[in-house]
Amino acid sequence: MTFTNFTPVASLLGGILIGLASAAVLLGCGRTAGVSGILSSALSPTKGEDGAWRLLFLAGLVGGGALLALFFPGVIGAPIMGSIGRTVLAAALVGVGVEMGAGCTSGHGVCGIGRLSPRSIVATITFIATGVLTVLALHRFGGAS
Amino acid sequence: MTAGRRNIVALLSGLLFAAGLGLAGMTKPAKVAAFLDVTGDWDPSLMLVMVGAIGVYALAVVAAKRRGVPLFAPEFAWPSLKMIDARLVGGAALFGIGWGLSGYCPGPAVVSVASLTQENLVFLVVLALTLLASRRVLAARGSAGSSRAAIVE
């Protein structure tokens, strides 16, 4: 195995920034920085609760994406889906899945595992496993990414 | 006052989170797919993303427990669900299939909408609609696991 695209330093540093951002949400706002939960709760606000922090976190994500697109074009975008049908199917599976499983890569994979939550460890092993199987199936049965 | 500071922390955290995803390579769906492609030209970079992020966050959890209260909120909202059930595993399994098909999980999907490509915009709109619809269906079914207060964010 050659690991032709391995970027250990950048990816470790990027992970540390993600960890720092999640730590700030925890220590500053008292909340878990799970993107799916924040997005879902922002779309279905609870009456009487001050959910402005969620909208601002999401604004930061989109604003950060805009800055990346401006200064480092090539870092974001370039989707691999290929067809609109596959885009819709993938997004719907992600949406239903994270709502049922109550978390995604950030909520379970980073914050949940960071708390040593057994639920999050099981969820993370599960979504990595089905992700691996899906990519394997795409290679075998065509539509390779 | 406190709410204002909480909101500033949230905004800056979102920016930092996006920068981290970009630096880590998570906003490149081909790179994410290469991490999942363990039998092909495997790219293990995402393991290091998780190591870095989990390591820092674990320290923050220790600090949070020691401190007892957050800086700009009345209390910590720790996720309260404990059970490992079919809904958790089934949901995670479906999410993984969508992740493998697209190379996008929710964080990079939100960040990448700034690229304004048709696929990124469609992905985020469908993601938002299915989050809304699933939340309603799960709340209506009223199973123990659907408590909104207990959702892991």
Side-chain angles (χ1 to χ4, degrees):
Chain A
M1 236 177 240
T2 48
F3 296 152
T4 42
N5 300 307
F6 191 31
T7 55
V9 177
S11 288
L12 185 64
L13 287 175
I16 288 171
L17 295 188
I18 293 167
L20 286 172
S22 307
V25 171
L26 177 68
L27 293 168
C29 313
R31 296 295 187 137
T32 302
V35 177
S36 61
I38 290 176
L39 183 58
S40 174
S41 297
L43 290 166
S44 304
T46 308
K47 272 186 187 164
E49 187 203 10
D50 178 10
W53 71 274
R54 292 193 181 96
L55 298 175
L56 284 153
F57 180 79
L58 294 169
L61 285 182
V62 176
L67 291 172
L68 286 172
L70 197 59
F71 293 109
F72 305 98
V75 167
I76 68 166
I80 56 172
M81 281 85 87
S83 72
I84 208 75
R86 180 162 152 190
T87 307
V88 170
L89 176 65
L93 286 166
V94 171
V96 173
V98 297
E99 193 67 42
M100 275 178 66
C104 61
T105 333
S106 48
H108 282 313
V110 174
C111 300
I113 293 185
R115 293 187 292 115
L116 295 177
S117 152
R119 263 174 69 83
S120 292
I121 293 168
V122 168
T124 305
I125 291 170
T126 304
F127 64 66
I128 289 179
T130 58
V132 165
L133 290 173
T134 302
V135 171
L136 202 65
L138 282 173
H139 281 319
R140 178 151 300 191
F141 303 111
S145 41
Chain B
M1 189 67 184
T2 307
R5 289 185 183 175
R6 178 166 72 236
N7 291 342
I8 291 168
V9 169
L11 177 65
L12 295 177
S13 301
L15 284 165
L16 189 63
F17 201 104
L21 287 174
L23 181 58
M26 299 254 341
T27 49
K28 291 180 184 164
K31 191 168 182 69
V32 175
F35 166 69
L36 297 172
D37 189 13
V38 290
T39 62
D41 188 11
W42 188 47
D43 179 355
S45 305
L46 263 63
M47 282 175 65
L48 288 163
V49 181
M50 293 192 72
V51 166
I54 293 169
V56 171
Y57 192 76
L59 294 175
V61 170
V62 172
K65 298 218 158 137
R66 205 170 278 179
R67 212 175 174 279
V69 284
L71 291 164
F72 310 121
E75 58 187 0
F76 285 108
W78 297 108
S80 59
L81 285 182
K82 297 271 182 263
M83 72 281 193
I84 293 165
D85 53 10
R87 181 176 150 185
L88 175 79
V89 176
L94 292 178
F95 162 46
I97 296 171
W99 192 35
L101 277 176
S102 62
Y104 285 110
C105 50
V110 173
V111 171
S112 300
V113 81
S115 72
L116 299 176
T117 67
Q118 189 194 349
E119 281 165 306
N120 286 127
L121 292 168
V122 168
F123 191 93
L124 190 63
V125 168
V126 174
L127 174 63
L129 291 174
T130 47
L131 282 176
L132 265 171
S134 322
R135 193 170 177 129
R136 287 208 174 169
V137 170
L138 291 168
R141 286 180 53 181
S143 58
S146 68
S147 160
R148 286 187 186 193
I151 200 160
V152 176
E153 290 187 334

